[in-house]
Amino acid sequence: MTSKSGKKGGPRSSRSATRPASEQERIFKMLDELADNDPDLVDRATDAARDPDTGRTYLRNVTDNILKETNPALSATLSAATAFIAATQIPVREPQSLPHFHIILEHTAEDRHAASRIFNLASSRLNAMVRLASTRESTDIGPVLQSLIPMAEYAINKAIQNYKTAPSLH
């Protein structure tokens, strides 16, 4: 689809078209800070985040691309935490709100695969706990859902412990 302006993807959304200049300036300032004031990095991240089909660029994708270069541990931890939230449907607003997020971030700074390993272990444990609890509660899943955050904290804590304990070879 081609818009009146001749660009692929149609007209701009009303939200971005009405975004005040002060908010745009705030966004660009935030991106510059994330990129350590490297305009080339912001440009590369923006280009890489552009959807080739629609021509749209999403702020979240630009931010992710910048973090991959400036703070790969944070990028990997946020990505794994987001996948954990999606897999477990835990009710948190931001990945950084997950229990023990900072501990997992520290491990990921040392081992780039730590976050995905820990969150995968925690997801498996939490999903098993929810299945077990829901069978015990028969048809009423309400109490299980109310205890989801403490169960997630326990599952993440156990996953961190398992990650720290290297398997012994005999």
Side-chain angles (χ1 to χ4, degrees), residues 13-60:
S13 72
S14 61
R15 181 173 175 213
S16 64
T18 60
R19 184 171 283 166
S22 62
E23 185 178 351
Q24 289 178 5
E25 288 175 24
R26 185 183 56 78
I27 290 169
F28 287 122
K29 183 177 179 182
M30 184 258 323
L31 291 174
D32 283 338
E33 288 173 5
L34 272 179
D36 297 327
N37 294 314
D38 181 355
D40 291 335
L41 175 56
V42 174
D43 290 343
R44 285 193 315 273
T46 303
D47 290 342
R50 188 165 294 116
D51 184 329
D53 295 330
T54 64
R56 291 185 175 170
T57 304
Y58 297 96
L59 180 60
R60 177 71 189 178

Side-chain angles (χ1 to χ4, degrees), residues 54-159:
T54 64
R56 291 185 175 170
T57 304
Y58 297 96
L59 180 60
R60 177 71 189 178
N61 296 345
V62 175
T63 305
D64 290 345
N65 291 339
I66 291 172
L67 280 177
K68 284 176 187 173
E69 288 196 38
T70 60
N71 193 339
L74 179 58
S75 175
T77 306
L78 286 171
S79 177
T82 302
F84 173 79
I85 292 167
T88 60
Q89 298 177 356
I90 186 167
V92 295
R93 294 180 57 83
E94 295 292 329
Q96 301 92 317
S97 302
L98 286 171
H100 308 301
F101 182 87
H102 63 285
I103 295 170
I104 297 168
L105 178 59
E106 289 173 11
H107 287 298
T108 308
E110 297 169 10
D111 172 11
R112 67 184 184 111
H113 300 291
S116 61
R117 289 178 185 144
I118 291 169
F119 280 120
N120 283 339
L121 287 170
S123 177
S124 297
R125 181 179 296 269
L126 180 59
N127 286 331
M129 291 167 61
V130 168
R131 279 192 306 276
L132 178 64
S134 63
T135 59
R136 289 186 179 166
E137 298 292 329
S138 67
T139 58
D140 186 15
I141 192 83
V144 175
L145 295 178
Q146 288 177 344
S147 62
L148 198 54
I149 297 288
M151 289 169 55
E153 183 171 7
Y154 174 80
I156 292 170
N157 189 38
K158 285 305 227 179

